Amino acid sequence: MNPNIPRTDRKRVVIVGAGFGGLRLARKLAGRKEFQVVLINKNNFHEFQPLYYQVATSGLEASSILFPLRAVFQNCKNVHIRVTSVTQVHPETSTIDTDLGPIEYDYLVIATGADTNFFGMKNIIERALPMKSVSEAITLRNRILQNFEDALSVDSSDEKEGFLNVVVVGGGPTGVELCGTFAEMRRTVLPSDYPELDFKRMQIYLIESGGELLGPMSKESQEKSQEYLTRLGVIVQLNTRVQDFDGKTVFMADGSTIRTNNLVWAAGVRATPPVGLPAEIINKSGRILVNRYSQVQGFDTIFAIGDVALMTEEKYPNGHPQIAQPAIQQGKHLAANLIRTVKGKPMEEFTYKDLGTMATIGRGKAVVDLPFWSFQGVFAWMVWLFVHLMSIVGVKNRLLIFINWMWNYLSDDQSLRLIIKPKLPKGNFEAMKQKVEDQLVTK
Ligand SMILES: Cc1cc2nc3c(=O)[nH]c(=O)nc-3n(C[C@H](O)[C@H](O)[C@H](O)COP(=O)(O)OP(=O)(O)OC[C@H]3O[C@@H](n4cnc5c(N)ncnc54)[C@H](O)[C@@H]3O)c2cc1C
């Protein structure tokens, strides 16, 4: 195997990760004669993570929140895409190791994002359902739908309870949005699909270890989101820490338990830096310490942006929030700085511009915090729809999502309630099974 990237007289910028940050940077450098861009990503597509929950709840097809990287960079001859994983960085030789072989860089940009943080809880790693990739969102959809099928075939109320109940851990936007949508489904489409099941027995729990939902948002938005969820019949438990799950029962630190087979883990993320950087520049959440030019501490030609980077400003002493906007803005700013550098000009410091945060809680309800204004309700929901629609990559995806949303709104019917299972090769080879699961990105 060989990455086969020709060496030219242009400066080579190797970008690892085509998420919000890496993709924005690559787009800004595409077509510029000063640079050869090598964009490395584990998958051949960009993922719009904020809408995973709609894939998990049958509202959207996976393909409408994914965008093929080669379609973004069609006819950009200075961009070389390689679908592979970076396994190690060697700053001393300015190379990285990938599954395809080593690649040299003039500038390296680490934009590898973050993964689910299970806080080392082994049973939860093995049994809970995370949602940090589109394959995990599809797995969650399959599991939830399969549970309703299974609930039809059991006799005891205890087993039925296990299949029907859902516990979501983590009161951030993901947890809140998931619970809101599950609650809407329980009220609308599920009783029609499964008239033999009694959905009054299905309980949806949202467990949060802190004292409020939507931690970084305004008090108004926090209270309103809790009120909306409670009105939808979601049982919100604050100041409650989940500490174990045996596949049938969730155990809380205060000694209480909940019967469910379905534990969804949305309780935090951990950055995923590549191996090879000094341990002292990586904090306990895996974030790489960078300066205001996004330069990794101690290195002039290695940069980190987005969720994996920890850049502090006076207003953000603990780093920027791990959301899309810092990644996008840092990608754009770094592109400008790299252009300045090759022109012999000094780089400029990055300053984060907070454009606001928002979350939706079921049909017609959302909370929006803009820097100087917070609002909630139907108008907030329309703003949420508009902002998310406009942020999606690709006109076709925007149209598909718009049509799906209108259909769901008018008919109360998530049309994608499909259980799509991978067909495993004969002979139960674990490695092959894992490979199929990893690669499963279907509708
Ligand atoms: C369920 C969910 C809901 C969210 N909702 C919101 C929201 O509503 N609003 C908001 O602003 N933010 C939201 N976020 C957070 C937001 O998606 C992230 O902050 C953002 O994606 C960070 O961008 P990034 O470029 O740093 O990394 P990412 O977008 O995570 O991209 C990292 C990329 O790097 C690739 N990669 C990782 N390791 C390697 C490797 N070793 N080799 C090659 N490629 C690699 C990955 O495949 C991925 O494509 C949500 C996140 C999740 C999971």
Side-chain angles (χ1 to χ4, degrees), residues 269-283:
V269 293
R270 198 189 143 70
T272 48
V275 177
L277 295 173
E280 60 273 17
I281 60 163
I282 295 175
N283 86 341

Side-chain angles (χ1 to χ4, degrees), residues 173-387:
T174 304
V176 165
E177 291 175 345
L178 260 181
C179 286
T181 316
F182 282 141
E184 293 284 11
M185 289 174 79
R186 175 180 59 180
R187 188 178 62 83
T188 54
V189 72
L190 293 176
S192 318
D193 273 12
Y194 300 92
E196 295 153 84
L197 291 176
D198 177 8
F199 281 93
K200 289 193 196 82
R201 293 169 63 177
M202 175 186 180
Q203 301 293 357
I204 301 162
Y205 295 84
L206 179 57
I207 312 287
E208 163 58 41
S209 62
E212 65 281 309
L213 298 178
L214 300 176
M217 291 192 78
S218 66
K219 191 123 199 76
E220 268 172 289
S221 292
Q222 291 172 349
E223 287 171 0
K224 209 67 191 172
S225 58
Q226 188 169 347
E227 183 194 314
Y228 287 151
L229 285 174
T230 310
R231 255 198 262 157
L232 285 168
V234 175
I235 302 168
V236 179
Q237 295 188 358
L238 301 176
N239 300 307
T240 307
R241 190 174 291 276
V242 168
Q243 67 176 28
D244 206 357
F245 177 50
D246 65 4
K248 293 194 165 177
T249 304
V250 183
F251 298 89
M252 260 62 72
D254 62 10
S256 60
T257 58
I258 300 173
R259 174 75 173 95
T260 184
N261 299 354
N262 312 297
L263 180 70
V264 182
W265 194 257
V269 293
R270 198 189 143 70
T272 48
V275 177
L277 295 173
E280 60 273 17
I281 60 163
I282 295 175
N283 86 341
K284 62 179 184 346
S285 308
R287 295 175 85 177
I288 306 169
L289 308 187
V290 299
N291 63 17
R292 293 282 292 275
Y293 309 113
S294 294
Q295 275 167 321
V296 172
Q297 253 184 36
F299 301 96
D300 290 342
T301 56
I302 307 181
F303 300 82
I305 56 174
D307 279 3
V308 76
L310 186 79
M311 182 195 289
T312 56
E313 289 182 41
E314 204 178 327
K315 213 171 148 202
Y316 300 95
N318 299 319
H320 300 120
Q322 284 169 295
I323 55 175
Q325 270 305 318
I328 293 170
Q329 292 177 28
Q330 285 170 2
K332 192 172 160 202
H333 190 83
L334 180 55
N337 268 342
L338 289 174
I339 294 167
R340 294 177 72 81
T341 304
V342 294
K343 288 185 174 163
K345 294 183 185 164
M347 292 195 284
E348 288 178 357
E349 284 195 342
F350 173 81
T351 302
Y352 175 51
K353 198 166 164 217
D354 181 9
L355 299 181
T357 40
M358 54 186 76
T360 174
I361 308 112
R363 194 183 162 87
K365 300 176 205 73
V367 292
V368 173
D369 284 354
L370 298 180
F372 302 104
W373 184 32
S374 290
F375 52 101
Q376 298 85 26
V378 178
F379 179 59
W381 182 66
M382 287 160 88
V383 170
W384 183 95
L385 290 178
F386 180 77
V387 168

Side-chain angles (χ1 to χ4, degrees), residues 16-22 40-43 49-50 52 84-86 111-114 131-132 174 272 305-308 322-325 327 388:
V16 188
F20 285 105
I40 300 173
N41 201 52
K42 279 183 187 170
N43 300 307
Q49 301 182 15
Y52 282 162
T84 183
S85 269
V86 171
T112 46
M131 211 179 50
K132 198 67 183 84
T174 304
T272 48
I305 56 174
D307 279 3
V308 76
Q322 284 169 295
I323 55 175
Q325 270 305 318
H388 282 75

